[in-house]
Amino acid sequence: MILEQTTREFRTAGRKALVPFVTAGFPDEATSLALIRAAGETGCPVVEIGVPFSDPVADGPVIQQASQRALEQGMTLRRAFDAVTAAREHGAQPVMMTYLNPILRMEPATFAREAAQAGCAGVIVPDLGFEETGILRPVLADEGLALIDLAAPTTPDDRLARIAGPAAGFLYLVAVTGVTGTCSPVAEQLAAFAGRVRASTDLPLYAGFGIDGPARAVSSAEACDGVIMGSALLRCFLEESDSAAGLERARTLLIETRQALDDAWGGIEI
Amino acid sequence: MSSQDQNPQTMPDEKGFFGPYGGRFVPPPLEPPLEELTAGFLKYRADPEFEAELAREYQHYSGRPTPLYHAERYSEHLGFRVLLKREDLNHLGAHKLNNCLGQALLARRMGKKKIIAETGAGQHGVATAAVAARLGLECDIYMGEEDMRRQSPNVTRIRLMGARVVPATSGDRTLTAAVDEAIGAWVAEAETAYYLLGSVVGPHPYPLMVRHFQSVIGREARAQVLEQFDRLPDLITACAGGGSNAIGLFHEFLGDDSVRMVGVEAAGSGVDTDRHAATLTTGKPAVIHGMNTYCIPDDAVTHEGSHCIAAGLDYPGIGPEHSYLKDSGRVQYEAVTDTEVLAAFATLCRLEGIIPALESSHALAYAEKLKGTLDADSLVIINLSGRGDKDMDEFMLRLAEKDAASAAGVPGHGKGAFC
């Protein structure tokens, strides 16, 4: 699978991945595409594209607000494929984050085929419990797409081992006990958690939830192979008066975070 | 999403599936606390001491057993015998307390110090605050900022009983925001906090657990009807939003093949409009709120939007067991409009001196439709799930509209729902 090839190569190069989370259609469709382009130009190997949903139980207030704004402007699962294609064109592997219901509405096999055609490399479904992954993993695999599994600090060891078995692409570590963007991970706790996961798999581990800036990205990346930044980026648009100013601030945040990670792990010049 | 063919009385299976419905569709951080909850519930459900403790609370705190009342004048009006299961006579005026008491006792047994709950119109928040006060547990009630404004008397009630009302400020600042923020808070403090869900919805084990605590309704009703009439009823009916009072009544009768069961949904302004909450009548299966169940569709991506006169039925999904019972044909589901509900409400007030909740009035409105189809000896149990005092503002508004309309001489408004 192309996704896992990318994540493993990035690790082999001695670099830590920065994965931005972009809600498709927020603050508007054009600006979300511009942010995806900025992510590709900043050297993000993977971009997570969030499909807005009306009941995002795993997400904190910032992503909820972004989702709602995107829905109000008519964003749909099918239209989000344009964002996927844009990410691929700008050199990043697109991973879609969508709740289960929109996929079921489209039919899993249809979704997998259309996502693959759009250039998608992997899919994250936060409300798909591990026991139910059978309805999705095989049809995604048929199209060369990875189903990204999630693990939480409270996930017991035996369950971690079961999750790690079929996992592909990278493993998403939910770095805090909570929803996205409400509190931040503590480096020592994340290290202990990542250590438990490493006992079960050598897949690249990416940590998300609560990565609020360059410093937290560096401290969280210590124990992992990459970090996922969502709420902090989207907040730029909520706090700025217009989308151009928000985009500029988000782009700066991406560049500074990328630079901080490269400074810490001796990466190449951007 | 499947499980083997099962006996409806032994469902759900160990993963919480009722046929294809139910289950647990949640993000990983929610799985461990739900596992702990499942283990705790299964342990204490079988514990005779716990059962005795709950029975004492039902009797002395809530006032159970509630009467099964033969409403004679109402029966005469309908042309068959009607028995009202008086859940409105519970402490706080609704069946909600049955579940809250059960779960709060469970929370205490599990060593939890704090109860977290969400509330929309405020009824579940009030019942939860009451049991938390009764058991000396800390209590946070999440409520959308917009709902807090609209339901300020319930905010006051919750605060009077010592609970904290946490305003939910995200999204539309109503129930959805309250659910999301309450779940977020629970995940962060799951070690010491207990999430008390108010209906037979959500991820496993809630549909199973809430049914367990509500099935006291049907257990009592079945024993009472046998004692009073020496036979089973021909038909039993209840309103269904999330569906907890209906499951509570139906569960004990599932094995009685001669008993017809009807769940009554809210058709709001009509099922052919976009203002209704008739999930099973118009919806299709979807995964929402941690479960697979029928849901009112809107567009390809999201689900939202339900509307009816009774806030307690205003929910776009329904308990997964109802979805199964619909597909299996064991329970029939019908929908009644706001207008029909108001007429039935007024009839019961006038004939029996009982003011029912607008939610419960949906079951009454269905009974009106049975007029002329049943013989005089037929026995029908209607679950009167709550009292209507909470709905006075709505009635006053409707009466004012009616008065204004008749003063203006608008044709057709002279004989409104209250006549």
Side-chain angles (χ1 to χ4, degrees):
Chain A
M1 278 178 197
I2 177 114
L3 180 63
E4 191 162 326
Q5 197 184 325
T6 303
T7 58
R8 284 185 183 275
E9 278 173 10
F10 212 82
R11 177 167 68 183
T12 307
R15 300 181 72 197
K16 302 287 186 179
L18 170 61
V19 178
F21 172 94
V22 180
T23 296
F26 174 77
D28 53 69
E29 199 163 359
T31 309
S32 67
L33 295 179
L35 181 59
I36 288 166
R37 178 191 185 126
E41 289 170 355
T42 311
C44 298
V46 176
V47 172
E48 187 180 346
I49 292 160
V51 179
F53 188 60
S54 57
D55 252 306
V57 285
D59 290 309
V62 172
I63 294 179
Q64 283 188 30
Q65 224 175 313
S67 280
Q68 206 189 344
R69 290 255 300 264
L71 287 172
E72 282 163 8
Q73 294 177 69
M75 181 48 60
T76 63
L77 178 54
R78 276 212 164 82
R79 274 177 69 185
F81 288 143
D82 292 346
V84 168
T85 306
R88 176 55 70 90
E89 281 167 359
H90 296 297
Q93 296 296 334
V95 168
M96 294 181 90
M97 195 290 284
T98 170
Y99 285 82
L100 181 57
N101 203 48
I103 295 179
L104 295 180
R105 287 275 174 97
M106 194 183 273
E107 291 292 323
T110 309
F111 166 76
R113 194 174 59 246
E114 294 193 17
Q117 279 164 3
C120 187
V123 182
I124 299 171
V125 187
D127 59 342
L128 182 67
F130 179 71
E131 278 72 21
E132 307 303 328
T133 48
I135 61 176
L136 213 50
R137 201 187 303 275
V139 292
L140 289 177
D142 286 348
E143 301 286 347
L145 270 66
L147 179 66
I148 310 298
D149 293 280
L150 294 93
T154 45
T155 308
D157 284 338
D158 56 337
R159 192 172 170 83
L160 277 180
R162 278 188 294 139
I163 291 172
F170 61 88
L171 204 64
Y172 192 132
L173 303 193
V174 178
V176 296
T177 45
V179 294
T180 55
T182 51
C183 56
S184 290
V186 176
E188 301 82 66
Q189 287 167 8
L190 183 56
F193 172 34
R196 287 202 300 128
V197 181
R198 295 241 194 248
S200 298
T201 181
D202 78 329
L203 263 187
L205 308 182
Y206 290 3
F209 286 41
I211 310 296
D212 56 7
R216 189 87 60 191
V218 169
S219 66
S220 300
E222 184 76 42
C224 307
D225 304 298
V227 291
I228 300 162
M229 181 183 269
S231 296
L233 280 174
L234 301 182
R235 197 176 284 122
C236 297
F237 296 99
L238 294 174
E239 289 173 359
E240 292 293 338
S241 53
D242 63 77
S243 46
L247 179 63
E248 208 34 58
R249 213 173 118 186
R251 192 203 311 268
T252 305
L253 179 59
L254 275 180
I255 291 170
E256 286 176 1
T257 307
R258 178 69 263 163
Q259 193 61 55
L261 290 170
D262 284 339
D263 287 349
W265 281 277
I268 52 167
E269 292 280 316
I270 301 170
Chain B
M1 287 196 288
S2 67
S3 58
Q4 306 84 338
D5 206 29
Q6 304 153 313
N7 172 352
Q9 282 167 297
T10 59
M11 280 198 268
D13 68 11
E14 76 283 356
K15 285 168 154 190
F17 280 101
F18 303 84
Y21 302 110
R24 181 188 289 163
F25 295 89
V26 298
L30 267 172
E31 287 170 352
L34 287 170
E35 270 305 303
E36 186 198 354
L37 177 59
T38 308
F41 169 67
L42 294 177
K43 177 179 168 193
Y44 290 113
R45 178 178 67 168
D47 180 344
E49 256 182 55
F50 180 80
E51 212 176 313
E53 186 180 20
L54 181 59
R56 278 197 303 276
E57 294 298 323
Y58 279 163
Q59 184 183 349
H60 299 294
Y61 186 66
S62 193
R64 303 203 71 92
T66 57
L68 184 70
Y69 164 66
H70 182 191
E72 291 185 24
R73 292 194 69 211
Y74 190 54
S75 297
E76 202 177 311
H77 161 75
L78 289 175
F80 49 83
R81 291 183 291 178
V82 176
L83 309 176
L84 300 176
K85 182 58 176 161
R86 297 292 307 276
E87 288 301 299
D88 59 317
L89 293 178
N90 274 299
H91 176 43
L92 299 172
H95 72 291
K96 289 283 179 190
L97 197 67
N98 302 333
N99 169 51
C100 289
L101 272 173
Q103 288 200 54
L105 288 174
L106 175 63
R108 191 167 70 175
R109 293 259 171 168
M110 289 172 70
K112 305 297 180 185
K113 306 286 180 225
K114 179 181 189 173
I115 304 275
I116 293 174
E118 83 295 336
T119 195
Q123 302 301 322
H124 177 56
V126 170
T128 302
V131 296
R134 163 73 189 87
L135 299 181
L137 297 165
E138 202 186 326
C139 182
D140 280 356
I141 304 293
Y142 286 76
M143 193 165 181
E145 235 177 10
E146 180 61 21
D147 285 336
M148 284 179 69
R149 192 184 57 74
R150 289 189 298 207
Q151 309 287 345
S152 62
N154 279 336
V155 173
T156 306
R157 288 185 184 102
I158 293 167
R159 286 184 175 147
L160 275 173
M161 293 187 283
R164 196 161 67 109
V165 179
V166 185
T169 55
S170 58
D172 57 0
R173 296 178 293 131
T174 63
L175 184 59
T176 301
V179 171
D180 290 340
E181 293 186 26
I183 288 177
W186 182 43
V187 169
E189 33 180 351
E191 233 169 86
T192 53
Y194 181 100
Y195 192 97
L196 204 161
L197 194 68
S199 190
V200 286
V201 299
H204 180 60
Y206 286 106
L208 165 67
M209 183 163 66
V210 177
R211 178 188 78 191
H212 178 76
F213 293 130
Q214 289 294 3
S215 59
V216 65
I217 301 172
R219 268 202 314 281
E220 284 179 7
R222 194 172 183 282
Q224 288 165 323
V225 71
L226 288 174
E227 191 196 315
Q228 293 173 28
F229 295 88
D230 200 25
R231 73 169 179 94
L232 287 169
D234 299 291
L235 189 150
I236 62 179
T237 185
C239 65
S244 70
N245 90 83
I247 286 288
L249 177 65
F250 296 166
H251 186 65
E252 191 71 10
F253 291 94
L254 279 176
D256 299 322
D257 292 338
S258 68
V259 179
R260 237 175 99 194
M261 303 187 191
V262 182
V264 185
E265 297 192 304
S269 308
V271 291
D272 49 355
T273 70
D274 60 358
R275 294 176 71 74
H276 66 78
T279 307
L280 290 174
T281 314
T282 66
K284 50 184 183 179
V287 173
I288 55 156
H289 303 158
M291 60 181 166
N292 184 40
T293 194
Y294 275 83
C295 186
I296 296 172
D298 49 23
D299 62 46
V301 174
T302 63
H303 59 272
E304 58 174 46
S306 61
H307 166 79
C308 66
I309 193 171
L313 301 182
D314 207 349
Y315 181 60
I318 192 165
E321 187 166 9
H322 285 292
S323 294
Y324 177 81
L325 291 171
K326 173 200 159 74
D327 283 6
S328 74
R330 179 65 187 92
V331 178
Q332 172 192 346
Y333 292 87
E334 300 290 341
V336 294
T337 64
D338 288 350
T339 309
E340 292 166 332
V341 168
L342 285 166
F345 161 85
T347 303
L348 191 76
C349 290
R350 225 176 37 232
L351 293 180
E352 295 289 346
I354 294 171
I355 301 176
L358 283 173
E359 289 79 358
S360 322
S361 300
H362 284 70
L364 300 170
Y366 172 70
E368 294 279 345
K369 296 188 168 187
L370 292 171
K371 228 171 160 176
T373 68
L374 300 177
D375 62 45
D377 285 342
S378 298
L379 266 185
V380 173
I381 295 179
I382 301 174
N383 201 13
L384 205 69
S385 56
R387 67 180 182 212
D389 305 52
K390 68 183 177 60
D391 297 318
M392 282 307 127
D393 285 350
E394 181 73 35
F395 301 137
M396 285 191 280
L397 192 73
R398 297 264 168 168
L399 280 172
E401 278 174 9
K402 199 195 103 190
D403 289 347
S406 54
V410 179
H413 277 74
K415 287 188 179 175
F418 288 89
C419 300

